[in-house]
Amino acid sequence: MSNLVKLPSRKPKVLEFFAGIGLARMGLESAGFQVTWANDYEPDKQALYAGHFKDDSEDHNFVLGDIAKVKGDSLPKDATLAWGSSPCTDLSLAGSRGGIRTGESNAFWHYIRLLDELKDGRPEVAVLENVVGLATSHGGDDLAAAVRAFNDLGYSVDVLALDARRFIPQSRPRLFLVGALNPPKTTDSGHSELRPDWLQAVYGDPTLRTHRAVLPAPPAPLLTGLGDLVEDMSADDDRWWDETRTGLFTASLSPMQLDRIVEMRSSPGTKFRTAYRRTRKGIAVWEVRPDDISGCLRTARGGSSKQAVVRLGDGGLQVRWMTPLEYARLMGAGDYNLSGARTNQALFAFGDAVAVPAVAWLSENYLMPLIRGTLEQSTFELEVAHG
């Protein structure tokens, strides 16, 4: 009779904290994971999540409510991976920069609390995704505190910087902390595109337990592609701004911005650019990106955070707000079910999410190999134990 212990054939299960509308889930499941539990506190996001995934209650449980009220004993004990895209409000350049212990960003500590309460079923790997501002918040102390919190639970931590622009035409740099109870034995000791100089301090801190997994180089950042994702819309669609509003847009541009727009407007062919409204010296102005790439999508709470689309060329200039479908496409989720979604509901939800292809790349090249390697090692040890 053979003593061979077989690897589990099922998909590794995932707990999805701060799930939003499930874009992390889309990336994880494209790599072979199965999200079985999720939590978020915003009903509008949960409504979009449920409308897109249409889960069977036996296979998936979405807990709507404040993470502070979730208890560890209510969580599934068979998950291999925990994913947390905790609020970045107090860490991002667009936020208060109060830090990881302030406001909404303080929710990170409830993620840690729940992992701590999962003593008998702690996931083998735990991921935190956040803005790159976490690396510099309070002079790097917030990042060190986050790494130390994972260390206290037994995880060694790897820290990666990955911009969604490597996969989609949107500038969206994000930080990923990958905690592993059994980190890879082979490590990468050098700097790389994924671990730039400004992240090296965390690896040099002798009070922190870290590792550097050997990973392939990610794709080079895209230089074009926005025009391919712009929604097909006729020139007389009423979503384009009228002449008066477009004139106010043009009048707010700086001389340098205006020169650029005039040049592109007079050139042959159609070109698309994105624009943000910003406050400069107390005055609201519009700024247009010079390249065929979208600026970072944000939570659309007001006009200053919403992104506009500018169509130029052949003597024409038209401006309008970006549509929900364009937001979805620029997050790598062009097939997301938007039926019934209100415009601001969708813009807010996508602007507050993680890009699908960034999660997919990390899952395929890091998380799944790490988990499979751990399972293989456990199987080997069981085989040895059984003779």
Side-chain angles (χ1 to χ4, degrees):
M1 181 176 180
S2 172
N3 289 322
L4 179 63
V5 180
K6 294 183 179 180
L7 285 171
S9 58
R10 63 175 175 79
K11 295 179 178 180
K13 295 182 179 180
V14 181
L15 306 177
E16 185 186 21
F17 297 89
F18 316 105
I21 59 174
L23 299 198
R25 174 178 175 178
M26 293 175 70
L28 288 161
E29 293 192 340
S30 73
F33 288 97
Q34 179 186 4
V35 175
T36 58
W37 183 95
N39 163 256
D40 202 275
Y41 74 99
E42 296 200 45
D44 276 355
K45 291 180 181 178
Q46 189 272 340
L48 287 172
Y49 190 110
H52 179 74
F53 292 103
K54 297 180 171 58
D55 290 304
D56 186 307
S57 60
E58 295 181 358
D59 298 326
H60 184 276
N61 183 26
F62 192 111
V63 177
L64 177 63
D66 189 345
I67 190 174
K69 298 179 180 179
V70 178
K71 303 300 180 185
D73 58 12
S74 70
L75 300 175
K77 304 300 188 293
D78 59 351
T80 309
L81 173 71
W83 182 282
S85 293
S86 63
C88 62
T89 311
D90 305 283
L91 298 168
S92 69
L93 290 174
S96 69
R97 298 309 297 267
I100 201 170
R101 298 184 185 275
T102 307
E104 291 184 354
S105 294
N106 189 53
F108 162 76
W109 298 103
H110 286 292
Y111 179 33
I112 293 297
R113 171 184 60 80
L114 289 169
L115 291 175
D116 184 35
E117 292 176 5
L118 275 171
K119 291 181 174 64
D120 298 326
R122 189 166 298 158
E124 188 68 33
V125 176
V127 178
L128 173 70
E129 178 265 332
N130 214 291
V131 294
V132 294
L134 174 58
T136 56
S137 178
H138 290 154
D141 288 348
D142 281 348
L143 177 58
V147 172
R148 189 169 290 110
F150 282 110
N151 287 170
D152 290 344
L153 299 177
Y155 294 103
S156 173
V157 179
D158 198 354
V159 186
L160 309 172
L162 186 62
D163 193 336
R165 183 173 175 173
R166 295 180 182 276
F167 314 98
I168 47 179
Q170 180 200 169
S171 174
R172 196 176 189 83
R174 287 296 184 267
L175 209 62
F176 296 88
L177 278 64
V178 180
L181 295 178
N182 295 284
K185 299 186 183 302
T186 303
T187 61
D188 184 352
S189 59
H191 298 201
S192 70
E193 295 176 274
L194 296 169
R195 302 180 188 91
D197 291 347
W198 48 269
L199 275 181
Q200 292 306 308
V202 73
Y203 293 103
D205 188 333
T207 69
L208 303 177
R209 184 184 174 213
T210 59
H211 64 274
R212 295 182 179 94
V214 177
L215 299 171
L222 296 178
L223 300 176
T224 61
L226 171 67
D228 297 330
L229 301 185
V230 170
E231 188 172 348
D232 188 20
M233 192 178 299
S234 66
D236 58 357
D237 191 291
D238 60 10
R239 284 172 289 185
W240 293 109
W241 296 349
D242 61 25
E243 184 176 346
T244 299
R245 192 173 186 181
T246 302
L248 292 173
F249 169 87
T250 305
S252 81
L253 299 173
S254 69
M256 181 184 71
Q257 292 267 329
L258 184 59
D259 287 346
R260 181 187 301 150
I261 290 298
V262 169
E263 181 180 356
M264 286 191 290
R265 180 178 182 173
S266 60
S267 63
T270 300
K271 291 162 284 295
F272 293 94
R273 295 292 184 266
T274 59
Y276 268 124
R277 190 166 59 193
R278 304 184 187 278
T279 301
R280 303 295 187 193
K281 298 180 180 180
I283 301 174
V285 298
W286 280 98
E287 294 182 356
V288 181
R289 281 186 68 98
D291 51 12
D292 189 29
I293 297 291
S294 166
C296 186
L297 302 181
R298 299 176 184 169
T299 53
R301 292 189 186 274
S304 62
S305 62
K306 292 169 66 176
Q307 202 157 175
V309 173
V310 185
R311 180 160 67 184
L312 298 148
D314 296 326
L317 164 64
Q318 289 185 291
V319 188
R320 60 169 171 79
W321 293 120
M322 191 175 284
T323 67
L325 177 58
E326 289 164 343
Y327 264 61
R329 287 174 175 174
L330 285 167
M331 293 298 285
D335 59 349
Y336 201 90
N337 180 14
L338 292 169
S339 60
R342 305 186 311 277
T343 296
N344 282 342
Q345 175 190 20
L347 297 185
F348 178 89
F350 280 102
D352 197 29
V354 58
V356 174
V359 178
W361 187 91
L362 188 72
S363 300
E364 293 166 5
N365 293 281
Y366 195 160
L367 305 181
M368 187 62 80
L370 176 60
I371 287 171
R372 290 300 185 196
T374 299
L375 290 174
E376 289 171 2
Q377 180 63 29
S378 299
T379 300
F380 173 77
E381 291 171 356
L382 285 171
E383 290 177 354
V384 171
H386 284 79

